[in-house]
Amino acid sequence: MRAAAWGLVAATLSIAGPALAGPWTLPQGQGQVILKAESLRASDGFDENGDRVMLPGERRDHLIGVLAEYGLTDRLTLQFKGDWQWGEDALFDYEGRGPAEVGVTWQAWRGERGAVSLYGGYADAGEGRNAGYAPPGLGRRDWEARVSAGRSFDGAMGLPVGWGTQRSFVDVQLARRLRDDLPDETRLDATLGGHFGEDWMVLGQAFAGQSDDGPTWKGARWLSLESSIVRHQGPWSFQAGWREAVAGRSTPRASGPVLAIWRRF
C-alpha cells in the first residue's frame, strides 16, 4: 500500500508542469505514460527591465507532449519526455518536434514523509521552441542536473484546519541547465498539492528561471503560476488547469489552459 501511495505522488509531481524529475522515484517495475496538451497565447510581454510592453503581434504556442517513466529499481527511475509543437508570432510561423529529453532520477534519501532525489538528463533540440524566450529551432544539445526535495503532511501542511484537505505535500526543485547555442539557465520550481479524499486533488505551482547574461545583453527571466485540479480514476488520472506568466524579463506574458491524462501501470 505504501509503495502504491509513493507511486501516485511521483506521478502527480511528474505531470505537474515543466519540471521533469520529482523527489519520489517510482517503485521497481512500475511506470506511467502521460499525455499533455498546452495552448498559450500572449499579446504583451516583459521587456529587458521587466516592464510590461505590447508585442508586435499576438503570440500563440501549442503543444502535445508525452512523458514516460519506469522504475528500474526502487531508487532509480528512467524518464523520457518529448512533444510536438506549432504556433506563430509576428516573425515566425512554425511546426515541428520540440526538445526530446532522456534522463535518470536517483533517490538520494527517503524518509517516512520526505524525500530527496538527484536527476541528470540530456536533451536534443527540435524544430519547435527549445526555450520560451528564443526563436523556434534555436538550440542543439542540453544537459541538466536537478535536485528535488519533497515532504508530505496530514491535513493542510500539518495545520489543524485543512479546509477538507486530508493530505498535502510540498515539492521544491532547483536545476542547472547547460545549453548549446542558447544561454545556460538556472531554474526553480515549486508545487503545493492537497488531496480531497482518494479521488480528487488540487495543485498550486510556480515555475521560475533565469538564463545567464551575455556580453552585451541581460538574460531572460520568467515566473509562471499554475493552478489545476486532478481526478483519479483507478490507474488513470485527468488534470485540467490554467497557467499564466506573472513576471519576467525578455519573455512573453503567456497564459492558457493545460490538460493532461496519464496511465499508471
Side-chain angles (χ1 to χ4, degrees), residues 43-81:
S43 57
D44 61 346
F46 305 99
D47 65 15
E48 64 177 10
N49 297 313
D51 297 325
R52 291 267 296 273
V53 294
M54 295 299 298
L55 299 178
E58 185 183 47
R59 170 168 161 169
R60 292 178 285 181
D61 295 300
H62 315 281
L63 70 79
I64 296 177
V66 63
L67 168 65
E69 297 185 305
Y70 182 77
L72 299 175
T73 71
D74 286 343
R75 299 184 65 181
L76 206 63
T77 293
L78 177 67
Q79 302 172 323
F80 170 80
K81 179 183 179 183

Side-chain angles (χ1 to χ4, degrees), residues 94-199:
Y94 70 95
E95 181 175 1
R97 178 180 65 83
E101 182 167 344
V102 62
V104 175
T105 298
W106 174 61
Q107 189 80 81
W109 172 81
R110 177 180 291 182
E112 188 70 21
R113 291 187 175 273
V116 176
S117 71
L118 302 176
Y119 169 82
Y122 167 81
D124 180 66
E127 302 83 15
R129 292 193 189 275
N130 300 294
Y133 53 83
L138 188 60
R140 287 194 299 164
R141 295 179 296 269
D142 298 347
W143 294 264
E144 180 168 300
R146 179 178 292 262
V147 58
S148 305
R151 179 175 171 81
S152 62
F153 302 87
D154 293 328
M157 300 289 289
L159 298 176
V161 179
W163 300 283
T165 305
Q166 295 181 345
R167 302 183 311 280
S168 59
F169 62 89
V170 62
D171 158 37
V172 179
Q173 305 183 21
L174 178 64
R176 180 65 176 169
R177 197 170 184 94
L178 306 181
R179 320 197 71 171
D180 284 344
D181 295 342
L182 285 169
D184 296 340
E185 298 174 1
T186 300
R187 301 180 178 185
L188 178 63
D189 305 318
T191 299
L192 176 63
H195 295 269
F196 293 83
E198 297 300 322
D199 298 330

